[in-house]
Amino acid sequence: MPYAVRTEVFEGPFDLLLHLILKQEVDLFEVSLTRIVDAYISELERMEALDLDVATEFLLIAATLVELKARRLLPSLEDVELDEELLRFEERDLLLARLLECKTFKDAARALEARVRLADRSLPRRAGPEEPFRSLAPDPLERVAPSRLLAAALRALAPKPDPLVSIEHIAPIRASVREAVEWLIAQLPESERVSFRDLVRDAPSKLEAIVRFLAVLELYKQGAVDIEQFTNFGDLQLRRLQEGENALDAASLAEWDDDATPRPPPVRAEAVRE
Amino acid sequence: MYDDPVGDATSALRDHEARRIIEAVVLAATDPVEPSLLAQLVELPVARIEELCAELAEEYFASGRGFVLVRIAGGYRYQTHPELAPYVERFVLEGQHARLSGPAFETLAIVAYKQPISRGQISAIRGVDVESVLRTLLQRGYVEEVGRDPGPGNAVLYGTTREFLERLGLDSLASLPPLGDFVPGPEVVESLERGLRVSDQPVPSSDEPGPATG
Amino acid sequence: MYDDPVGDATSALRDHEARRIIEAVVLAATDPVEPSLLAQLVELPVARIEELCAELAEEYFASGRGFVLVRIAGGYRYQTHPELAPYVERFVLEGQHARLSGPAFETLAIVAYKQPISRGQISAIRGVDVESVLRTLLQRGYVEEVGRDPGPGNAVLYGTTREFLERLGLDSLASLPPLGDFVPGPEVVESLERGLRVSDQPVPSSDEPGPATG
């Protein structure tokens, strides 16, 4: 049988991450977080139609991974506050625990599936009692209240709720990088330092904070702001640069929001919004 | 009949296998199984099938099994040994908590509320093929054919029976508790069908090389 | 055990009769028959019923019958011998069940091992919304509502059904393979740990290059 080349379909972020990590283990002798993060993000890019809820989860995990990667790239950990270090391990361990749980149930599912396949090979006797006895059997519908029939009908006929209507999921993640850029520009007074922590203090969610961070990076890339960090893991200080003010590259910004763009940015936050 | 010992051994093996197949098929069947059908499955002449069935019946009888293999209504079926009738009767009367399976009950509910309805339409709503469930309902006499779809295919349409109404203590279908507002019309059922298909699809079949297992 | 030959003969006769009754009753049943019910009908202790059923099952197996007697969902039932599946399948087409998708099985596994469990809790484990998958499982009768979370929100809690046990050929939830069997082995845990390692300083055990898995 020829080796089938198939496009992997990942059902969830854990699925994907598990696959990437375990594949790395096979392909390379040394597992590299950097590679995993890159692979994860490029996989995200490849996925075109993402379900809203799935996208959120994918993105949160991407954010966690990027965070882990970023921390690993930092040269020294000497000045790390204890709290931060603990936090770092907590996040990692949490992710690890979830991955292990996911893997456990994946394997359990395979075992159940094998059992069903085995059980399917036997057919139970369903004929029931033969004639004189059959008419003796109490009728299953006897003493069944019509309301039970109604309940069954409602259960069977209930339309599948439209997954996009779920407001709770949409509300907290209404964030686009483009909007965040506009918002940031409005927030940044000229020639004055602003702390990044202050900028995200009122962020309604982790995701919103991430989006604002991406907006800062975008502004930095375009030369609109300057970023300084005085200590490892310290606060970021942003300063708006004069000349960058009118030079915002609209096309680059559009990439964040436009699905049809030929070069999608690595993390498409707007996928969450649509 | 033959002097060839090898041939004898082979045919003994075939007979044994044929008997097993007959046992399995007759056990799983809900109606008497015609010998011609068994002949096809086993690939032996009908006459030989009849012989094998007679042998089996004799074997059950001789070893005092609680069931017998009988020829009835042109086919073979298992039934309980007449001597054990008092026990079977007691069991059927009080023991067997008769119940309709969940899927059967839901299917019945769909037929009750959406009749006349075709098997395909019921399957679309339930997301699974309902043939065997529908057969049970037909056998029970809760559901019957009420017509044919005038559209292409002329699908059989089903509805509930008088007996169904009587069992539920209802005068007419109009006395069924109303479903309320959010019952989907046929067009929604159709999109629901699509929705179900989609929701079942995005999933790689489990045979696909998923994440490498350790 | 007794020296009384008449007593022995009597009890042998009783056992033979008991076996016949069991055979007849299980054959007439449409659902697995609970041993306690058989015990009532036969007027023997449940433990003895279990022994007799085990003997019957063994007898069928040893003599190569086309059917087997199995204990499923807390009771006994006849079913076809798995080896004869190709023949039975050709005959009873509608017995075939629609296959569940891989994700559906994962959700089912979570419900089976963590029941009672809410939809939110399942989603949290799987990392994806499980609404449509859960609906499929409910429709196919594998899963049902078993209660409400007493906590805030009163989330619906789900559990597996009797149908689930029957479809998996299990006697009870206790016969599920222990979840511990599926906890990833040390090599998987290690590679996951390494994959998510924060510091670049090598973990002691992974110092030597080379795949840790065999």
Side-chain angles (χ1 to χ4, degrees), chain A residues 252-266:
Chain A
S252 167
L253 271 180
E255 282 184 3
W256 289 101
D257 282 353
D258 189 359
D259 266 332
T261 180
R263 288 181 300 125

Side-chain angles (χ1 to χ4, degrees), chain B residues 15-198:
Chain B
D15 281 357
H16 180 248
E17 191 64 10
R19 265 193 289 263
R20 300 183 78 199
I21 298 169
I22 293 170
E23 287 185 321
V25 169
V26 173
L27 185 96
T30 42
D31 296 311
V33 188
E34 288 174 23
S36 59
L37 206 128
L38 290 170
Q40 260 181 52
L41 284 170
V42 180
E43 293 174 14
L44 280 178
V46 174
R48 184 74 195 117
I49 295 292
E50 306 262 17
E51 280 170 27
L52 289 172
C53 286
E55 282 169 35
L56 272 175
E58 175 52 32
E59 192 184 328
Y60 298 146
F61 187 78
S63 53
R65 301 256 81 109
F67 48 79
V68 291
L69 181 65
V70 294
R71 177 149 187 169
I72 216 166
Y76 288 97
R77 82 166 179 206
Y78 282 113
Q79 50 186 55
T80 56
H81 195 295
E83 281 171 16
L84 303 167
Y87 297 97
V88 178
E89 198 169 298
R90 257 182 74 199
F91 169 71
V92 170
L93 270 176
E94 48 193 273
Q96 186 83 308
H97 44 286
R99 67 182 174 109
L100 276 185
S101 69
F105 198 66
E106 273 185 26
T107 302
L108 182 60
I110 293 169
V111 176
Y113 280 98
K114 308 296 274 184
Q115 57 189 301
I117 189 169
S118 73
R119 182 181 135 202
Q121 288 168 315
I122 306 170
S123 293
I125 294 173
R126 299 217 56 242
V128 279
D129 185 54
V130 293
E131 174 171 346
S132 69
V133 172
L134 204 52
R135 248 170 71 95
T136 308
L137 295 174
L138 284 162
Q139 272 175 353
R140 287 268 182 200
Y142 297 147
V143 161
E144 63 190 350
E145 290 188 23
V146 293
R148 290 267 174 180
D149 190 340
N154 285 301
V156 175
L157 298 174
Y158 298 94
T160 50
T161 59
R162 263 217 75 73
E163 192 187 337
F164 162 82
L165 289 175
E166 281 168 17
R167 291 296 177 195
L168 280 170
L170 297 172
D171 283 343
S172 69
L173 283 175
S175 352
L176 274 174
L179 267 180
D181 302 334
F182 74 102
V183 178
E187 68 295 337
V188 183
V189 169
E190 198 182 301
S191 75
L192 186 65
E193 174 189 5
R194 252 179 284 129
L196 285 170
R197 229 185 275 132
V198 170

Side-chain angles (χ1 to χ4, degrees), chain B residues 23 59 65-66 126 128 203, chain C residues 23 59 65-66 103 139-140:
Chain B
E23 287 185 321
E59 192 184 328
R65 301 256 81 109
R126 299 217 56 242
V128 279
V203 180
Chain C
E23 287 184 322
E59 193 184 326
R65 300 255 82 107
Q139 275 178 342
R140 305 228 179 143

Side-chain angles (χ1 to χ4, degrees), chain A residues 181-246:
Chain A
V181 164
E182 284 162 14
W183 177 83
L184 263 179
I185 290 171
Q187 295 297 309
L188 289 176
E190 283 175 29
S191 317
E192 209 178 297
R193 283 210 175 86
V194 173
S195 138
F196 181 70
R197 280 191 183 149
D198 286 342
L199 284 175
V200 294
R201 187 151 287 145
D202 67 331
S205 69
K206 201 173 182 178
L207 190 84
E208 173 71 29
I210 292 169
V211 167
R212 285 183 194 175
F213 181 67
L214 291 173
V216 168
L217 291 182
E218 180 63 32
L219 284 177
Y220 180 76
K221 189 176 102 190
Q222 297 199 17
V225 297
D226 191 26
I227 306 175
E228 282 172 298
Q229 187 179 29
F230 297 108
T231 57
N232 281 335
F233 300 110
D235 195 8
L236 294 176
Q237 299 292 324
L238 312 184
R239 194 165 56 86
R240 185 164 165 187
L241 297 175
Q242 293 289 2
E243 61 271 38
E245 189 180 337
N246 298 317

